[in-house]
Amino acid sequence: MDQTKIDRINQLAKKSKTVGLTEDEIKERAALRREYIDSVVGSLKGQLDRTYLVDGQGNKTKLRRKGDK
């Protein structure tokens, strides 16, 4: 997500607290928030996919998703 979209989220949040939002702005804010959350979750998943656990002997074990065997 680029900085202009994050700035827009912040503008809408500030406006919401002061004068309120129109129906279109509420929809825009919801869409931008969803995009931001999806971006953060995707980044976190990518980082966890590249994470290994190292035991006392130096053996690396790739992290697995909960429920995977």
Side-chain angles (χ1 to χ4, degrees):
M1 172 169 265
D2 60 356
Q3 188 61 41
T4 57
K5 289 183 180 181
I6 294 171
D7 292 341
R8 181 64 179 153
I9 291 170
N10 291 331
Q11 287 173 350
L12 291 171
K14 201 175 283 187
K15 184 177 179 185
S16 172
K17 292 177 183 177
T18 56
V19 295
L21 299 175
T22 65
E23 196 63 36
D24 289 338
E25 289 171 331
I26 291 171
K27 290 177 185 176
E28 179 187 7
R29 179 182 66 177
L32 288 169
R33 282 179 172 177
R34 174 55 31 206
E35 185 179 343
Y36 178 78
I37 290 168
D38 292 344
S39 169
V40 170
V41 168
S43 175
L44 180 59
K45 284 181 180 179
Q47 187 175 12
L48 290 174
D49 286 343
R50 295 182 305 273
T51 301
Y52 290 86
L53 299 174
V54 180
D55 63 15
Q57 289 79 31
N59 299 319
K60 292 182 180 179
T61 306
K62 188 165 178 61
L63 281 180
R64 294 178 295 184
R65 292 181 186 245
K66 190 174 183 177
D68 288 352
K69 293 184 178 182

